[in-house]
Amino acid sequence: MKRSIFSSLVLAALAFGSCTKQLDVEPKGVLNPGQVFTPEGAEKFVIAAYSQLGNDHYDVPFSLWPYGNGRSDDQYKGGRDENDIQEFHFIQTFYNTRTDFGQVDALWYNLYVGVARANDALNAIEPLTEAEYAQKKTRQAEMRFLRGHFYFQLKTLFKHMPYLDEKTPKEDYPQISNVALTDDQLWEKIADDFTFASENLPDKQPQVGRADKYAAYAYLAKTRLYQAYKQDDKHAVTGIDAGKLQAVVAAADKVLTSPYRLEADFANSFLPGTFENGPESVFAVQYSVNDNTLKGRVNFGDVLSVPQGLGCCDFNKPSQNLVNAFRTGADGLPLFDTYNDANVNPDADNVDPRLDHTVAIPGHAWKYEPDRPYEENWNRSPGVYSVYASLKENVSPDAEGFVNIDPFYGNSKNRIIIRYADVLLFKAEALIELGRQDEALPLINALRERAANSTGKLRTKAGQLQAHYKVEPYKPGVNVVWDREGARKALRWERRLEFAMENSRFFDLVRWGIADQVLNAYFTKEKTRRDFLKSAQFTKGKHEYLPIPQNQIFFSKQVYQQNTGY
């Protein structure tokens, strides 16, 4: 079946079809209004929309690891070699990035399936009265939250996309261009969904996994933050909207005064079982095993990240540059300018504890299990992609949710989309850009203090710390100059360390307008370490976004316009 947004978004219209005058036979596989416009029918559409959060594939991951980690200075693609999912190699090196990559086309399509399911649910809900469907407003808000989520991902990946909501007539789909709305107008549409959700969702949902009011406020803060950085037609940041930054602060404050809070130990957000849906998890994709399905509802989009020594296939490998970024000085602060001069030795140098929560290092415990040290021979191609592995999305092979889905191994640990720590830094970033950096200081220091206190699980069998951990808060006038520039540098560094390998780094660099500077400097140094980067080069004004998939341009009959540079 040809996969275009038209095939996904027209689905609901086909479902409501009826038989022709010539045939007096009820068609099979078609829903009639009596089946759909009921509370029971609406609930099924809602569940289908939530289900799409986990309907990704190992080479079409909704975690966006090839795009958020892979295009940044945090990650090596991994796998057997450059030819193993070669498209991801080209995307990582920005070399030969073509408009006909199947993985990019499938990602566009699958994200629009999410939009379509949310729209279908909204159309199924709308005819019902609140008297017959008491959850009407709540479910509408949940669906607009989900639609906002899928559109947010499309926006950060492609910048320009056609916007279709539940009220868009299906006959208009072919005429709606991906540039019908401006950059700012698209952000406003996404913000409208999260605003509606924040105003109509409950403080707490009776069922885990459903979006609540604070998840909507968190996503609204994130949306306003991205929207605040104004871009021209060539993706250069031309200014920062102070009004949008104020909106970030207002939305973030709703979350920061809610029951959500930081986990006491950084490790807890990345452990399965009783740690899932903890106080820091504002919104997460729910996975499961033993749920009456063949293999369970596991994290199929991230299965490639499992080291070869535990199964398959050793993709998504932390870079040497990232590992070096965790080094700290004698004062416990980052080595902003010299961190990458030499490779860190975690057994001798001072490091931020978040290194061992994020990166599997040979000789150190795998997922806090001293009896199971991560070994260099677990790596599939150490000569190509070095010897580190990503920890946050992985689990112990003894965990109940570790599942053999031959030839891969998946797990049922939730994937957190927004953490409370995210919201702290959304607000801190907005405050700094507003010139209120003194107010941002305690927000950033809260994460550094939490990192310093997160060493309890980082111990050897003998009970000794695995490395020389040293991290200190920023103290203006003592160890840092806390003007706007110094605060901005600290904020951006903190985002890298706190969310390393959580698939956001590249999008941060694009938002800040510094992707070309950071990545080309990274390539200059890193290609002396790793041969596969020898052709890597970021082109400013082009590589900030993926190309619009050529298949989608064909399906639209050239209504869609290709992104700049492709």
Side-chain angles (χ1 to χ4, degrees), residues 14-28:
L14 296 177
F16 299 143
S18 60
C19 24
T20 66
K21 292 181 180 179
Q22 290 79 13
L23 293 174
D24 192 21
V25 178
E26 186 73 19
K28 299 184 185 300

Side-chain angles (χ1 to χ4, degrees), residues 474-494:
Y474 293 103
K475 302 171 185 175
V478 178
N479 60 11
V480 69
V481 175
W482 199 255
D483 56 13
R484 184 188 291 190
E485 187 55 40
R488 182 184 291 129
K489 180 182 285 189
L491 176 282
R492 293 179 178 182
W493 204 270
E494 203 66 25

Side-chain angles (χ1 to χ4, degrees), residues 395-425:
V395 300
S396 165
D398 294 333
E400 180 184 2
F402 189 69
V403 180
N404 183 349
I405 48 174
D406 191 46
F408 309 113
Y409 285 78
N411 69 71
S412 62
K413 181 171 66 67
N414 289 354
R415 178 170 60 81
I416 300 177
I417 293 176
I418 295 185
R419 292 198 274 125
Y420 185 89
D422 247 325
V423 186
L424 280 174
L425 293 188

Side-chain angles (χ1 to χ4, degrees), residues 291-333:
D291 54 7
N292 297 317
T293 61
L294 183 62
K295 298 289 186 179
R297 181 72 163 171
V298 297
N299 65 333
F300 208 72
D302 286 328
V303 296
L304 294 182
S305 292
V306 177
Q308 196 74 4
L310 293 178
C312 181
C313 292
D314 207 33
F315 281 73
N316 197 28
K317 310 271 286 174
S319 71
Q320 185 65 56
N321 185 288
L322 174 63
V323 173
N324 291 344
F326 285 93
R327 181 194 278 121
T328 59
D331 59 1
L333 298 188

Side-chain angles (χ1 to χ4, degrees), residues 72-85:
S72 80
D73 47 355
D74 280 3
Q75 184 239 58
Y76 305 145
K77 173 183 73 71
R80 183 188 65 244
D81 53 29
E82 297 95 322
N83 296 319
D84 197 356
I85 313 186

Side-chain angles (χ1 to χ4, degrees), residues 135-152:
Q135 298 85 8
K136 179 176 179 175
K137 277 292 184 187
T138 297
R139 296 294 185 257
Q140 286 174 320
E142 289 177 45
M143 293 303 94
R144 291 191 65 174
F145 176 93
L146 291 183
R147 184 172 67 190
H149 163 74
F150 287 115
Y151 269 133
F152 187 97

